[in-house]
Amino acid sequence: MNITDKDIKLITSKRLTVEKVLSQIETFKNEIPFVALRSAASLDNGILKFSEHYQTELTKLYESRSSDLETTKFVPASGAATRMFKELFKFLDNYEYRKESLNSYTNHEKANAIRLFLIGLEKFPFYETVMKKVKSSYPNFESLSEGRQLHIFVEMMLKEKGLNFGSYPKGLLPFHKYPDSISTSFEEHLYEAAGYNKNTNGDSKLHFTISKEHLDAFKDEFERIKKKVEEKTNTNFIITYSFQKSETDTIAVDENNEPFRKEDGSLFFRPGGHGALIENLNDLDADIIYIKNIDNVVVRKYQDEVSGYKKILAGKLIEIQDEAFRILNAIDKKSPSEAELIDIKKFLVEQLNVRLPIDFDKFSEKYKLQFLKESLNRPIRVCGMVINEGEPGGGPFWVKNDNGRLVLQIIETPQINPEDHRQLEILESATHFNPVDLVCGVRDYKGNKFDLLKYVDPDAGFITTKSLDGKVLKALELPGLWNGAMSNWISVFVEVPLTTFNPVKTVNDLLKSAHQVKLFS
């Protein structure tokens, strides 16, 4: 690679080093190995399911201990709404209302998403806001054809000359319509957090990772709703923000694995994906951190159920920590007896999904204790898992690691070899799906905060194909936040009901019952 002074200046401006950039280029050349799936995790094979009685006990445990804990909710919220409106942008580009009817277009394009959008139009939380704007700009709106009306409505909703929703961060879009107000997903996260993430002083801490250009908009939204939400929930919200760090950007390459250069000859860097947020997560200081995506919220009548399951997951985390910390403190004082060792091994296998080396019993005492301490003294995540109903995204699998041992991981489809039929069969056999519903313990048994960057698997990233200015490029995404970035955590997976998973991936998802205060008649 020919490094110019201009290149070095750009690299250092991003707080990157030339060595790191060269290492990324080597990753493209060597490619990232696919994971080796052994089986899908399932109930009693890596996924736990709790009885109602046990759920009650875990809830009581959390509630009895929460006053002594520092908790915070971490919400990745930098995503733009563009993908949410993909079908509507396509409609604006392709539909020629002067040449054909709307019915003709939806038939030959098989545009079912447009049909559903039109059917549910008045149920969307933004309907009245858009219509007010439409009628002020088009006094003759009511006399226009159905196709032209819809084209105007969508254009006014998405484009810059109108409300510009197409450029909004997803967290600030209208999500839910109540009799007296319209709420964003940002606002709903506050209401939800008040149900489980609040200390005895009534404080609730939330941290949002956002794009820098949207900071003022998020702050303005909080100021707009602060008094109302705090009074309704009797909560004092402490909101902090951070941005994806520029040093987590990755260089793009062309099809020959040479650095991709833009029209002006400068190197092209891309954000490293949500895995870069492990840096932001690592900057937080708390006993328990909840993680949930910005678009996974519900209207308030369902929030008690969602909050209830958060407490169950947090109770399980506390139960696991208590036992792990007890064992680690005991090992510090004296070696475990044979009977104690049997109980410890049982805890590792049955509760923490640790698969012991085949020859563990032949280890010397020194190496047995070393293995036990290394297995127990690491960050812990308790993850909700929902029944797989075909949603795109990652899932829980047993994977063979570099040491040849089976470990439990959340795996995304791009990590799997599409040419390997056996691997695809395992993928298809998955019974559960990862909804990104995590409760994390990030302190060790001595109360010190873990350095989370030490538990990342650097070989668990993704290489994807993109384009810029009509040219093909290859992009490198860092190990995903709940994938490779947490690869070396203790992972406990728990089945939770589908009612806790209600993401808004497309605009039509807002028509689902979890996002409707008043359901369709």
Side-chain angles (χ1 to χ4, degrees), residues 217-242:
F218 272 94
K219 285 184 172 181
D220 289 346
E221 173 67 3
F222 181 53
E223 286 306 310
R224 184 183 71 83
I225 63 175
K226 183 176 187 291
K227 186 174 185 291
K228 175 187 68 174
V229 180
E230 290 190 339
E231 287 179 354
K232 283 187 176 181
T233 61
N234 195 28
T235 304
N236 174 46
F237 291 101
I238 301 168
I239 310 294
T240 54
Y241 306 93
S242 65

Side-chain angles (χ1 to χ4, degrees), residues 85-130:
F85 298 120
K86 180 182 174 182
E87 291 300 319
L88 294 181
F89 276 115
K90 182 180 174 183
F91 168 73
L92 289 181
D93 290 340
N94 295 344
Y95 176 52
E96 298 184 58
Y97 54 86
R98 292 186 180 89
K99 295 183 178 179
E100 63 177 332
S101 69
L102 182 60
N103 189 53
S104 171
Y105 171 81
T106 55
N107 282 336
H108 70 69
E109 290 293 323
K110 297 182 173 58
N112 293 328
I114 300 302
R115 287 196 189 99
L116 181 56
F117 181 79
L118 181 61
I119 290 168
L121 198 59
E122 294 184 18
K123 293 289 183 180
F124 285 108
F126 45 75
Y127 173 75
E128 291 174 6
T129 305
V130 177

Side-chain angles (χ1 to χ4, degrees), residues 73 75 169-176 183-191 208 218 221 293-297 504:
K73 185 178 181 182
V75 185
K170 193 183 278 190
L172 298 182
L173 282 174
F175 255 49
H176 299 150
S183 71
T184 61
S185 58
F186 172 81
E187 180 178 344
E188 298 293 21
H189 272 286
L190 272 59
Y191 278 104
F208 294 84
F218 272 94
E221 173 67 3
N293 278 335
I294 187 67
D295 63 355
N296 186 12
V297 290
V504 177

Side-chain angles (χ1 to χ4, degrees), residues 1-11 261 265 267:
M1 174 180 174
N2 294 319
I3 301 283
T4 67
D5 290 342
K6 183 181 177 183
D7 294 338
I8 294 172
K9 188 175 181 180
L10 177 60
I11 290 168
R261 294 186 181 273
L267 298 174

Side-chain angles (χ1 to χ4, degrees), residues 373-431:
K373 290 196 76 168
E374 287 179 355
S375 297
L376 289 165
N377 192 32
R378 56 185 61 216
I380 304 171
R381 56 175 179 167
V382 178
C383 311
M385 292 290 162
V386 297
I387 297 293
N388 185 0
E389 291 197 330
E391 291 277 356
F397 293 88
W398 287 102
V399 177
K400 186 182 281 190
N401 68 8
D402 291 340
N403 298 322
R405 286 176 43 228
L406 286 183
V407 292
L408 200 57
Q409 300 287 356
I410 296 171
I411 301 297
E412 302 280 345
T413 304
Q415 294 177 268
I416 299 166
N417 185 354
E419 309 285 317
D420 189 323
H421 296 299
R422 175 59 186 144
Q423 292 288 288
L424 294 177
E425 284 177 7
I426 296 172
L427 175 64
E428 290 296 320
S429 72
T431 58

